[in-house]
Amino acid sequence: MGLLTKVSLGATAAFSIARVQAAPASNALYKHVLVFSVDGMHSSDVEKYVAVRPESNISKLLSTGYEYSNAFTSAPSDSFPGSIAQYTGGSPRTTGIWYDDVWDWTYYPAGSNCTGVPGAEVQYAENVDYNSTLLWSGGIDPGNLPMTFVNGKCESIYPHMRLQVNTVFEVITAAGLQTAYVDKHPAYEIMNGPSGKGLSAGYFPEIQAVPNNVNATIAYDELHVQAWLSFIDGTTPANSTGHLAPSSMPALIGGNFQAVSVAQKTVGYMNDSSFSPALLHAFDYVDGAFGRIVTKLDQKGQLNESLIIIASKHGQAPINPQLWNEVDPDALVNATGVPTAFLTADDIGLLWLNDTADIPTAVENLHKNASNLKIQTTLSGTQLVAQGFGNPMASSRVPHIIVQPELGTCYTTSQSKLAEHGGLSDDDRKVACFISNPKLQKKVFNGRVNTTQVAPTILKALGLDPKALEAVLQENTQVLYGFQ
Ligand SMILES: *[C@@H]1O[C@H](CO)[C@@H](O)[C@H](O)[C@H]1NC(C)=O
Ligand SMILES: *[C@@H]1O[C@H](CO)[C@@H](O)[C@H](O)[C@H]1NC(C)=O
Ligand SMILES: *[C@@H]1O[C@H](CO)[C@@H](O)[C@H](O)[C@H]1NC(C)=O
Ligand SMILES: *[C@@H]1O[C@H](CO)[C@@H](O)[C@H](O)[C@H]1NC(C)=O
Ligand SMILES: *[C@@H]1O[C@H](CO)[C@@H](O)[C@H](O)[C@H]1NC(C)=O
Ligand SMILES: *[C@@H]1O[C@H](CO)[C@@H](O)[C@H](O)[C@H]1NC(C)=O
Ligand SMILES: *[C@@H]1O[C@H](CO)[C@@H](O)[C@H](O)[C@H]1NC(C)=O
Ligand SMILES: *[C@@H]1O[C@H](CO)[C@@H](O)[C@H](O)[C@H]1NC(C)=O
Ligand SMILES: *[C@@H]1O[C@H](CO)[C@@H](O)[C@H](O)[C@H]1NC(C)=O
Ligand SMILES: *[C@@H]1O[C@H](CO)[C@@H](O)[C@H](O)[C@H]1NC(C)=O
Ligand SMILES: *[C@@H]1O[C@H](CO)[C@@H](O)[C@H](O)[C@H]1NC(C)=O
């Protein structure tokens, strides 16, 4: 609470400074940081792409930069915690953000006024929009938000209000600098952080309105690219939330590409795990976009002043398409043999039971059916705590049981998918992570890193204090190699 108060006071005090174009902090290594997630891009895809396209823009970025070849995104590896990791420095136990669709026994449904039996689904995706069939969906309809008591008062909870720690965007705007962020649903206003004030500008065209195929998603990604190019120019694209100060390129620009992820899910890899033509087409599109971004930075005279960070918020599993198989999520729920409130199902299962006393019984029953349900492991009780997931007895955010299926298994009845993410496997979590600037000398770091380390690295690069992030303090998150 103390820290949050400080951030919002800082933001108010800094506002007048922002208008006179604050100078970067004196110990800044860079004036700007640009952070891009190529959703779905594995660490192994970096090697594969460079082998197929040795002259690519990605190869060029790597030739003056650091590559982290053993980088892991959040566990679970859903987009929501995966992005939050990079911009807070924290994992789900600290941020409270486990997935874009969870259960919380202290919440109530939208429109309930917190009356009735406690316990509600908390979903922050296209479902909260005014009209998710529209690319410009109207943003978040507060009438669609789940509710809970805040200081004794029933409130509709926007995504940013649920986040338990501050974001880099808040730290940067509080320092009088500007920020801009681009993502696939208006629900990503979560990046504003608990103060609600972290983003100078946000740009959130609704991806749900776009057909689920590679070329339509490339056209969608192009909206993101045009928004970034516009932010580099210091102009705010139409339909943004918020506004940049005139003609000033933000200190932090962030966002992601969706085409590779859609290609992985709808077309996939070849049986030998090489790229299919459609997947290569998606990577080529992304590579060309990086070329255009670099050219734009150069034209603005800002390339040497800009650190480019490419870190994927999730991979996709399985890479080998022959391993894909589906198990009905209802079978998982039924097999617990106890009353179950909610299952978050992908290539992971997060279970919330009605009664925590039933956890051991449910785990035992799941193990009896492990081969039918393709369960590799379950995590509950002390295992959750020991492995850094937190304690469901102490927090309504933490699932009672995590089910990790065998690699390639997804709890879904979809007949049209070839891969998914969200789970704990290396195919889900071992992601592309590299950093580039013309002044850096090529280096490959093979030591394990977490994408949570992107957050303190952003602040360090801008000459701001990484310890201004609450999650960095709580988890002792280190800056990436090369920036210590
Ligand atoms: C919730 O409370 C508000 C204000 O008291 C009231 O206008 C509204 O009708 C209530 N909604 C429901 C669903 O009870
Ligand atoms: C959402 O937009 C579509 C397309 O314009 C329209 O047909 C539909 O009626 C809208 N839905 C609502 C609930 O407004
Ligand atoms: C996608 O676009 C590429 C080039 O723009 C084209 O070669 C390919 O046929 C298109 N794919 C589909 C499925 O339409
Ligand atoms: C902005 O959103 C409106 C709908 O609210 C849409 O008609 C318009 O095309 C959008 N403009 C741009 C430039 O995206
Ligand atoms: C890939 O493997 C699957 C399953 O083993 C097989 O059915 C399919 O024919 C293979 N595809 C090719 C192009 O070899
Ligand atoms: C790099 O990006 C530029 C700009 O989009 C593109 O024209 C070029 O083909 C890309 N370079 C390579 C080698 O693919
Ligand atoms: C789960 O149990 C319900 C109720 O007994 C049953 O109707 C349903 O078919 C079961 N589903 C699966 C996939 O086993
Ligand atoms: C679970 O296993 C029991 C026997 O061990 C079996 O009767 C039941 O059908 C299985 N349920 C599921 C959902 O696989
Ligand atoms: C378990 O919780 C869910 C969600 O609140 C509820 O719908 C269901 O009735 C409960 N089941 C039992 C047996 O209490
Ligand atoms: C940018 O940095 C590179 C590498 O140090 C240098 O060769 C180049 O001249 C610099 N460009 C500008 C515009 O300062
Ligand atoms: C990465 O996260 C894991 C799991 O939370 C932790 O055990 C490990 O120490 C972290 N590694 C680094 C380099 O921070």
Side-chain angles (χ1 to χ4, degrees), residues 348-433:
I348 190 169
L350 308 180
L351 279 161
W352 282 266
L353 308 183
N354 290 48
D355 188 344
T356 53
D358 287 336
I359 294 172
T361 309
V363 169
E364 199 183 308
N365 288 339
L366 288 168
H367 280 276
K368 281 189 200 149
N369 284 288
S371 72
N372 292 336
L373 301 168
K374 311 272 183 211
I375 293 174
Q376 185 182 75
T377 51
T378 62
L379 297 169
S380 61
T382 53
Q383 294 162 318
L384 284 173
V385 179
Q387 295 191 30
F389 291 103
N391 183 355
M393 301 303 179
S395 164
S396 62
R397 315 278 181 118
V398 184
H400 299 164
I401 304 170
I402 298 179
V403 178
Q404 178 55 41
E406 293 162 11
L407 178 60
T409 295
C410 188
Y411 297 116
T412 179
T413 52
S414 158
Q415 293 300 308
S416 59
K417 273 191 222 177
L418 298 166
E420 203 27 281
H421 60 274
L424 309 180
S425 70
D426 281 7
D427 284 11
D428 278 309
R429 294 189 60 206
K430 203 172 165 192
V431 291
C433 184

Side-chain angles (χ1 to χ4, degrees), residues 436-473:
S436 187
N437 177 271
K439 293 183 275 189
L440 296 179
Q441 290 202 332
K442 183 180 170 72
K443 233 175 241 159
V444 178
F445 294 101
N446 294 316
R448 168 160 177 154
V449 302
N450 295 320
T451 56
T452 49
Q453 295 176 251
V454 167
T457 304
I458 292 168
L459 294 183
K460 182 83 186 280
L462 293 172
L464 300 172
D465 184 6
K467 293 201 161 67
L469 288 169
E470 292 157 329
V472 163
L473 289 177

